[in-house]
Amino acid sequence: MGSSQGSTLSADVMSLVDTLPVLAKTLIAGGVAGAVAKSAVAPLERIKILLQTRTNDFRTLGVSQSLKKVLQCDGPLGFYKGNGASVIRIIPYAALHYMTYEVYRDWILENNLPLGSGPVVDLVAGSAAGGTAVLCTYPLDLARTKLAYQVSDASQSFRGGANGVYRQHAYSGIKEVLSMAYKEAGPRGLYRGIGPTLIGILPYAGLKFYIYEELKRHVPEEHQNSVRMHLPCGALAGLFGQTLTYPLDVVRRQMQVENLQPLTSDGSNKRYKNTFDGLNTIVRTQGWRQLFAGLSINYIKIVPSVAIGFTVYESMKSWLRIPPRERSKPA
């Protein structure tokens, strides 16, 4: 009896799924893929942010020592500090990213734009999709960084920085972060660091989809839906894309937490005027190696993250019965 009821329920669910439009199914597939991938690597993501922003006590630590430090200061849940904001952001971000990629790609092919029908289409559609997703969800990324930047220290409310002593504000959650950012600088405060994010996401997102689709193109048709194919293709796509754009990610993170960092000698927080000023200042004052701070963690993180993301996305597309799209042909 129980088995019969379970089969009926499953059939009802699939009947409901079949009534959904393809775009809605793509949004669901992308959202689930993003949430699973982000949560799987949350501990490494937090360590990367602490190293990128030169958080006090973490500047000279390696990966294993940083993990131990977070465990000591914040306990096991400390590895997931800010992950709530990250998941809340990544669900709409990934959903929009994957969905708009499909939309832009189909639009380019249908309108016969002078881009051919090969991998360049994936590059352009991926870049446009990445920019769209960033613009729609950036304030939540800001909140995630500010929350992850905080390290509990019950023994002292003041911290010693490279240039003096400063008070580190303890945010209670996403709402307070966004509220204070808005009070400080209005709408611009919610988009602090958007410049390097967009400059970085356009080539990264484009390269990610380009490389992924290009690798898939060399896989026999009968293996197109194989998990063993999605994992390595997604991993290589993320690895190459992130390496080329990583310094911009460092600038973005430092811009996002500027108001939480130590005061300069004149009693003010350092402010990067723009992306290129940030790159130049970091190289001049912190050394060029800082532009790649946390890159080793990123390699450890990005491979499973992108691989899991593409794999879950393709699996969800199959489960939701999204019809396969036309494969790009080499230009």
Side-chain angles (χ1 to χ4, degrees):
M1 175 116 181
S3 175
S4 176
Q5 289 178 338
S7 298
T8 302
L9 179 61
S10 177
D12 290 341
V13 170
M14 293 314 298
S15 296
L16 178 62
V17 166
D18 288 339
T19 64
L20 295 173
V22 173
L23 283 183
K25 292 181 181 180
T26 307
L27 276 170
I28 294 170
V32 172
V36 173
K38 207 68 174 175
S39 296
V41 297
L44 292 172
E45 177 69 16
R46 181 156 191 231
I47 297 301
K48 186 189 80 169
I49 290 175
L50 292 172
L51 293 176
Q52 285 180 322
T53 54
R54 291 170 60 83
T55 304
N56 201 39
D57 299 333
F58 284 84
R59 297 176 190 180
T60 59
L61 300 183
V63 178
S64 60
Q65 290 177 309
S66 296
L67 289 168
K68 290 178 183 178
K69 184 73 174 177
V70 169
L71 183 63
Q72 176 188 346
C73 294
D74 293 330
L77 292 179
F79 292 125
Y80 292 88
K81 183 175 282 187
N83 191 54
S86 184
V87 170
I88 291 173
R89 164 191 165 267
I90 201 63
I91 290 176
Y93 174 85
L96 283 169
H97 197 174
Y98 285 107
M99 185 204 74
T100 53
Y101 164 71
E102 302 280 359
V103 171
Y104 291 146
R105 183 182 179 282
D106 290 343
W107 182 83
I108 291 171
L109 292 174
E110 289 170 5
N111 286 274
N112 297 314
L113 297 185
L115 298 173
S117 59
V120 174
V121 172
D122 299 311
L123 182 67
V124 175
S127 296
T132 301
V134 163
L135 287 171
C136 292
T137 61
Y138 187 79
L140 289 170
D141 183 59
L142 178 77
R144 189 263 187 278
T145 302
K146 287 181 179 289
L147 290 170
Y149 178 75
Q150 298 179 145
V151 181
S152 300
D153 190 345
S155 64
Q156 52 184 339
S157 59
F158 286 84
R159 301 232 168 191
N163 299 314
V165 178
Y166 67 102
R167 185 177 184 85
Q168 187 183 53
H169 180 80
Y171 292 109
S172 60
I174 301 171
K175 184 178 179 181
E176 185 184 5
V177 173
L178 297 179
S179 176
M180 291 192 68
Y182 186 82
K183 287 179 181 177
E184 180 185 320
R188 291 183 64 182
L190 297 175
Y191 283 85
R192 183 68 181 163
I194 188 69
T197 304
L198 284 175
I199 294 173
I201 198 64
L202 294 179
Y204 168 62
L207 285 168
K208 185 173 72 171
F209 279 106
Y210 171 88
I211 295 169
Y212 180 69
E213 294 295 339
E214 185 63 18
L215 290 171
K216 275 180 62 179
R217 196 169 287 114
H218 293 86
V219 175
E221 188 79 36
E222 61 270 21
H223 298 302
Q224 284 291 304
N225 293 319
S226 167
V227 171
R228 275 190 244 176
M229 185 280 296
H230 298 316
L231 281 170
C233 288
L236 288 171
L239 190 65
F240 286 119
Q242 271 283 301
T243 301
L244 294 174
T245 61
Y246 192 79
L248 293 166
D249 191 47
V250 173
V251 176
R252 168 176 63 127
R253 296 300 186 190
Q254 291 206 13
M255 291 179 76
Q256 287 176 331
V257 300
E258 280 176 335
N259 67 318
L260 301 177
Q261 292 189 324
L263 301 179
T264 57
S265 57
D266 61 358
S268 63
N269 285 105
K270 67 182 179 191
R271 293 276 175 174
Y272 299 139
K273 298 175 183 177
N274 50 51
T275 304
F276 299 104
D277 178 55
L279 288 168
N280 183 52
T281 303
I282 289 173
V283 171
R284 192 178 68 253
T285 62
Q286 301 170 28
W288 66 268
R289 291 178 184 275
Q290 181 60 30
L291 292 176
F292 296 93
L295 182 59
S296 60
I297 298 177
N298 209 54
Y299 282 147
I300 299 172
K301 176 189 79 74
I302 201 64
V303 171
S305 177
V306 176
I308 290 169
F310 273 120
T311 302
V312 174
Y313 178 60
E314 297 286 359
S315 298
M316 286 297 296
K317 283 173 65 178
S318 177
W319 183 78
L320 291 168
R321 299 176 183 174
I322 297 175
R325 53 179 167 77
E326 177 190 349
R327 295 180 69 186
S328 298
K329 298 175 183 178

